[in-house]
Amino acid sequence: MASGRGILEVNTTMEKTDMPNGRIGGPKNGHKNGHTNGYKNGVNGRTNGKSDHKGNWQEDFYESFEETPLFIAILTYIGYAMMVIVGHIRDFLRYYGIEKDKSCTEPKMEGYVPLFQSWESFYTRNVYRRIRDCWNIPIASCAGSHIDVIERVTEDHGWNFDMTGRKLHVMNFGSYNYLGFAENKTLCAKTVQEVTEKYGVGVCASRQELGYLDVHRQLDELVAEFLGVEAAITVPMGFATNSMNMPALVSKGCLILSDELNHASLILGSRLTGATIRVYKHNDMKDLERRLREAVCEGQPRTHRPWKKILIVVEGVYSMEGSIVRLPEILRLKKKYKAYVYLDEAHSIGAMGPHGRGVVDYFGLDPRDVDILMGTFTKSFGSCGGYIGGTKRLINHLKVHSHSAIYSCAMAAPVTQQVISTMSIIMGRDGSGEGRRRVQQLKWNTRYFRKRLHEKGFIIYGNKDSPVVPLLIYMPSKIA
């Protein structure tokens, strides 16, 4: 995936590769500009969350946030400035009819608020439109490691596209299909087909009414066993797993300490709770501890009463930066200040750790030390939906009070069976060892891919073991 920030996200999905002898370690810096890869944060110039407390896990913990070379930064700003200036000139010409306006613009109606922000429309019309063929390309095959895309051409610089009828067979680097289970010919296809024939493709009811099937109960129990917790609840949508469940956990009078780079679903869920939200610097344990200390000592604003709950909200693998949460230090602070931890493992469950059980497995920690374990089935499991795992008391509370359990339709049976099948393979229940092999292959692919990009001189962000690899392109002209 790519974004307007000039960051190309490359996801190292599982693909068969001969694994050479020897272990690929942290990437070496092959840059010619003299900058050093390491913990340096190019945004604030401070060490990226380094702590004085050392542990065994830190010996193999390597993250790269290289500072942007000044010359490249200047050229990038100039490039975007030129596109903005040219865009304003062309909008001026379109306004007076000198240039034909091909965009779908909002009518200016008195008394109506615009549906779109002016800058958003401007950026889409004059910047994104020029290179939008990098995205939005229709796929004509199963969205696996290799895909067939429909070729299209434009004669008017991206305003309109015509299909040529040809299909291009290409590699897929924009997918979160980490373990390759989102295929139509995998080990799961047969069982999913059998469940489809038995239950159909929908339940048309919520969990609390007539939408809770035996496969849902089987999935809940399997997820709890996989995570190593007492119980779990599954939700039909990954985004709603955060946004619809967090309001049932904290409320007014509670404090949420959120990492500044948390996902939009966590931000929305936090806002819907009504709790006070304070943001701390990304993966910076000193800043987090300072805010925890202030919260415990000072209490709530004005009244100075103690907070009802203090909830630390973090992600396992950050989906835009490719960094990994410093979970051992998070748990140390959690125990020290009697707080709770909400861990979003959307991009780490199935893809991290020797057994594929996320960052808790990656650091070799006890999953019961994390109060709320959240994750999604849309990445490593090749399906959709999400889960929350924890104590039986927590899960029973969510079953009664969560909007996702009361109002949303339950997961479709084939979707549920896909998760059951893939999770069973990862756990080794099929006896083939295929799940463990895919997890190890993904780890090797990730380290190899990052190492080779570093050696070629590219600037990439994140942890050496993160399957999300943000490659910084900077200049808008180079994105396409």
Side-chain angles (χ1 to χ4, degrees), residues 65-97:
F65 292 95
E66 182 177 347
E67 278 192 86
T68 305
L70 180 62
F71 179 69
I72 298 299
I74 293 174
L75 289 180
T76 303
Y77 280 117
I78 292 175
Y80 276 103
M82 290 179 62
M83 296 186 76
V84 170
I85 293 172
V86 172
H88 279 296
I89 294 174
R90 299 192 70 170
D91 274 0
F92 177 81
L93 297 177
R94 292 172 192 141
Y95 182 81
Y96 287 100

Side-chain angles (χ1 to χ4, degrees), residues 382-396:
S383 187
C384 68
Y387 68 83
I388 285 184
T391 62
K392 287 184 179 180
R393 183 183 177 187
L394 168 69
I395 301 306
N396 289 336

Side-chain angles (χ1 to χ4, degrees), residues 197-215:
E197 294 172 353
K198 179 179 179 181
Y199 294 98
V201 294
V203 292
C204 302
S206 68
R207 290 174 62 103
Q208 291 194 358
E209 294 177 349
L210 296 175
Y212 193 56
L213 306 177
D214 55 348
V215 289

Side-chain angles (χ1 to χ4, degrees), residues 23-38:
R23 176 172 169 272
I24 292 184
K28 296 180 180 179
N29 185 4
H31 296 282
K32 299 178 180 179
N33 54 29
H35 289 268
T36 304
N37 283 326

Side-chain angles (χ1 to χ4, degrees), residues 83-154:
M83 296 186 76
V84 170
I85 293 172
V86 172
H88 279 296
I89 294 174
R90 299 192 70 170
D91 274 0
F92 177 81
L93 297 177
R94 292 172 192 141
Y95 182 81
Y96 287 100
I98 301 175
E99 179 181 335
K100 184 179 179 181
D101 190 358
K102 300 179 182 180
S103 62
C104 183
T105 57
E106 282 189 75
K108 296 182 179 179
M109 301 174 64
E110 186 177 353
Y112 285 85
V113 178
L115 291 175
F116 304 102
Q117 295 180 357
S118 59
W119 168 251
E120 181 181 346
S121 300
F122 175 87
Y123 183 87
T124 303
R125 187 169 58 251
N126 295 295
V127 181
Y128 172 74
R129 183 259 312 167
R130 295 171 176 267
I131 55 173
R132 69 188 181 102
D133 193 42
C134 296
W135 306 274
N136 305 333
I137 303 176
I139 300 174
S141 67
C142 176
S145 58
H146 290 77
I147 55 177
D148 293 331
V149 297
I150 299 177
E151 185 184 52
R152 57 184 188 172
V153 295
T154 177

Side-chain angles (χ1 to χ4, degrees), residues 259-281:
D259 190 289
E260 65 179 350
L261 298 181
N262 275 341
H263 189 261
S265 60
L266 292 171
I267 297 173
L268 176 60
S270 299
R271 290 174 177 173
L272 292 176
T273 63
T276 301
I277 304 171
R278 292 176 182 169
V279 179
Y280 68 92
K281 296 175 183 178

